[in-house]
Amino acid sequence: MKKPGKRAGEPSRAGNDRSTGQTTRYHHGDLSGALLSAARFILDRDGVSALGLRPVTRAAGVSHTAAAHHFGDLAGLLSELAATGLDELRAAIISAAGTPRLIAEAYVFYALRHPHMFELMFRSDLIDRTSPRYRNAASALFAMLAGSPEVSDHDGQKETDGYDSQDAARYTAAWGLVHGIAVLATDGRLDPLISRLREPMSREDLVRQAILSVPPFL
Amino acid sequence: MKKPGKRAGEPSRAGNDRSTGQTTRYHHGDLSGALLSAARFILDRDGVSALGLRPVTRAAGVSHTAAAHHFGDLAGLLSELAATGLDELRAAIISAAGTPRLIAEAYVFYALRHPHMFELMFRSDLIDRTSPRYRNAASALFAMLAGSPEVSDHDGQKETDGYDSQDAARYTAAWGLVHGIAVLATDGRLDPLISRLREPMSREDLVRQAILSVPPFL
DNA sequence: AAACAAATCTTTCCACTGGAAAGACATCCG
DNA sequence: CGGATGTCTTTCCAGTGGAAAGATTTGTTT
C-alpha cells in the first residue's frame, strides 16, 4: 500500500528549489530562519490573513508540516515573527529617544511604516503570548515605555513596591493614546475624517498634530 | 447517481429542532434574525474566533449554506452583527451624554462590558466595511463623537468646508485615547501593569484614572 | 568503522472551514 | 389551478492546521 515512490531524480537532493541555483538538501540548515523571513515577506506583501502554515512553508520550499518541529504550531511561528516586530518597535523608540513626544511619534510612525507587522504584534488570537520569545520582547518594550517601578532602598537591599497609581494611570493614558491612534490610522479609520478636511492633510500630518494636541506632549 | 434519500420522517417538518418544542418549518420565517441572535450568543460566549458559518447556522438549526441567501457570505452576517454593536455603543454614549469625560468613560466601559463585540466591531478583516448597514452605523457613531463639521451660512444656503485641522487633530487624539485604552484593556494588555500596582486596582478603576489623568478630560 | 540514537523533513491522513452549484420545498400571485 | 419566486438543503470542492508515521540525514558511542 505504501509506495516508496520518489520519482527518479538525483538521489542526494531532496526538494526542487526555486530561483536560486542552490541544491536544497534534505536538512535545510537554517529552516527556522528561512521560515521566519518567508513569513515576514508574505506578511509585508499580503497582510496577516495570508500568514498560513502552507503558504509560508511553500515559500520556503518545504512541506507544510516542516515548521512543526521548530515552532510547534502556527502560533509558535507567528509569535516569533511578532516578537521581532516588537524588537523593531523598541529599537525605533530607542533611536528616537528623548522627549515623550518623540517617543509617541516613533510608536505611531512605526505602525504606519509596518502596518501588517503592527497588526500581527497585537493579534492575541494568532500568537501565543506566553511564548518566552514574545514575553521577553513585550516586557522589554513596555518596560521602556513605562519605565520600571521605583525601587526603594531598604537597608541596602533594593526592593520595589510596584507602580504608583498615578504613574500607572498616566502610563495607561499615554500608551492608550499612541496605540489607539496607531490602530485607527493603520486600519484606515481616520480616512473618512481626512477626506472631509478643510485643507488637505496626510495621515502622518494628522497623527502628528493629534499627538501635539495633547497637553502632556506639547 | 442522486439519491432523493431523506430518511423516513414527518413530511411537513424539516429540521430537527433543539430544546424548544416548536416544529421547525422549511421556511423559517425570520432566519436572518435567528442567525443574528445565534451569532450574538456565540460571540458573547466563545469570542470572535468561534463565529464561523457552520457553528452559527448549526445553532440556528439550519444548513450551513442557509445564511448565504440573506447575508451573502460570512462577512455579510458579521457586518450586520458588528453594526448592532456600533448602535449599542452609540446608545451607551448617548445615555451617558454630557461631559467629554463621561463620553470617554462610556466608550471604554462598553468595550469592557462587551469585549468580544467590541473586538468584532473593529475587525476589518472579518467584516465588510462598505456594507450599507455597517457604514451607516459607523458614520452615525463617529459623527456623534466628533460632531459634524461646522456649517457656514452663505446667503441663507448652508454648506460646509469640512473639518478644521485643529478640530480634526483633537478629535483624532480623543478617539485614539479612548479606543486605545479600550483595546489594551479588553485584550488584557494592562494586566501585567495592574498586577504590579502598589495598591490593588481593578481594570475599571485604572482606565477611569487614566482618562482622568488627561487634562482635557479633567 | 560500524551501530545505534536523535534530529529533521516528507508523506499521508483527518476533521474542519467557507462557498459554489444545483436540487427540493414552500409560498405567493396570476 | 399553475407557474414564478423566494427560501432552504444537499452535494461537492478547494482550502486550512495538525497528528501520526515513515524516510533521511546527522551526531554519538562503542
Side-chain angles (χ1 to χ4, degrees):
Chain A
M1 190 65 88
K2 185 111 349 115
K3 296 180 186 174
K6 180 176 272 293
R7 56 196 175 335
E10 315 88 318
S12 68
R13 297 176 180 181
N16 354 3
D17 53 280
R18 52 210 89 269
S19 67
T20 80
Q22 290 222 341
T23 68
T24 61
R25 283 168 285 191
Y26 193 101
H27 286 76
H28 185 284
D30 180 29
L31 182 56
S32 50
L35 287 173
L36 281 175
S37 37
R40 179 61 187 267
F41 180 79
I42 293 178
L43 173 63
D44 289 334
R45 195 189 49 185
D46 303 325
V48 174
S49 67
L51 279 180
L53 210 42
R54 293 179 123 100
V56 171
T57 53
R58 198 179 306 144
V62 294
S63 75
H64 84 278
T65 54
H69 186 261
H70 299 275
F71 300 100
D73 55 359
L74 177 61
L77 200 167
L78 299 188
S79 302
E80 292 232 4
L81 184 57
T84 68
L86 293 175
D87 291 339
E88 287 178 8
L89 175 54
R90 185 163 59 99
I93 290 177
I94 290 177
S95 75
T99 71
R101 178 193 130 200
L102 290 179
I103 292 180
E105 288 188 1
Y107 191 102
V108 177
F109 285 145
Y110 175 84
L112 285 177
R113 265 182 287 124
H114 307 283
H116 297 146
M117 176 58 97
F118 181 75
E119 183 186 354
L120 176 66
M121 284 160 37
F122 291 95
R123 279 290 294 274
S124 304
D125 55 328
L126 295 181
I127 66 183
D128 175 18
R129 287 209 261 169
T130 72
S131 145
R133 178 82 176 79
Y134 185 88
R135 274 183 71 90
N136 291 337
S139 56
L141 169 62
F142 304 138
M144 156 142 315
L145 289 176
S148 299
E150 296 194 0
V151 284
S152 51
D153 246 322
H154 279 309
D155 304 326
Q157 63 174 354
K158 299 173 182 177
E159 61 178 38
T160 171
D161 300 339
Y163 289 97
D164 174 59
S165 295
Q166 281 212 3
D167 292 343
R170 277 198 291 262
Y171 163 51
T172 299
W175 188 16
L177 179 74
V178 293
H179 191 77
I181 292 179
V183 166
L184 294 176
T186 57
D187 199 30
R189 298 277 172 180
L190 300 179
D191 292 353
L193 173 63
I194 291 177
S195 66
R196 288 176 195 172
L197 229 40
R198 192 169 302 164
E199 57 265 11
M201 217 174 175
S202 67
R203 277 189 189 180
E204 286 76 9
D205 288 336
L206 177 60
V207 300
R208 202 193 319 268
Q209 295 300 324
I211 293 174
L212 279 175
S213 76
V214 179
F217 292 108
L218 278 178
Chain B
M1 190 67 88
K2 185 115 339 124
K3 296 179 186 174
K6 181 175 268 298
R7 55 199 179 329
E10 315 90 316
S12 69
R13 297 179 182 180
N16 354 4
D17 52 279
R18 52 208 91 266
S19 68
T20 82
Q22 290 221 339
T23 66
T24 60
R25 282 167 290 190
Y26 193 100
H27 285 76
H28 184 283
D30 181 29
L31 182 56
S32 50
L35 287 173
L36 281 175
S37 38
R40 178 61 186 268
F41 181 79
I42 293 178
L43 173 64
D44 289 335
R45 196 189 47 185
D46 303 326
V48 173
S49 68
L51 280 179
L53 210 41
R54 293 178 123 102
V56 170
T57 53
R58 199 180 304 144
V62 293
S63 75
H64 84 279
T65 55
H69 186 261
H70 299 275
F71 301 101
D73 55 358
L74 177 60
L77 200 167
L78 299 189
S79 302
E80 291 231 7
L81 183 58
T84 69
L86 293 175
D87 290 341
E88 287 178 9
L89 175 54
R90 187 163 58 99
I93 290 177
I94 290 178
S95 75
T99 70
R101 179 193 129 200
L102 290 178
I103 292 180
E105 287 188 3
Y107 191 103
V108 177
F109 284 146
Y110 175 85
L112 284 178
R113 265 181 289 124
H114 308 283
H116 297 147
M117 176 58 97
F118 182 75
E119 183 187 355
L120 176 66
M121 285 160 36
F122 291 95
R123 279 290 295 274
S124 304
D125 55 327
L126 295 181
I127 66 183
D128 175 16
R129 285 208 263 167
T130 72
S131 145
R133 177 84 176 79
Y134 185 88
R135 273 182 73 89
N136 291 337
S139 56
L141 169 62
F142 304 138
M144 154 143 315
L145 289 176
S148 301
E150 296 194 359
V151 282
S152 50
D153 246 324
H154 278 310
D155 304 326
Q157 62 174 355
K158 299 172 182 176
E159 62 177 37
T160 171
D161 300 339
Y163 288 98
D164 175 57
S165 296
Q166 282 211 4
D167 292 343
R170 277 198 289 262
Y171 164 49
T172 299
W175 188 16
L177 178 74
V178 294
H179 191 76
I181 291 179
V183 166
L184 293 176
T186 56
D187 198 30
R189 298 277 172 179
L190 300 178
D191 292 353
L193 173 64
I194 290 177
S195 68
R196 287 178 198 171
L197 229 40
R198 193 170 302 167
E199 59 265 11
M201 217 177 177
S202 67
R203 277 189 190 181
E204 286 77 9
D205 287 336
L206 177 59
V207 301
R208 204 192 318 268
Q209 295 300 325
I211 293 174
L212 280 174
S213 75
V214 179
F217 293 107
L218 276 179

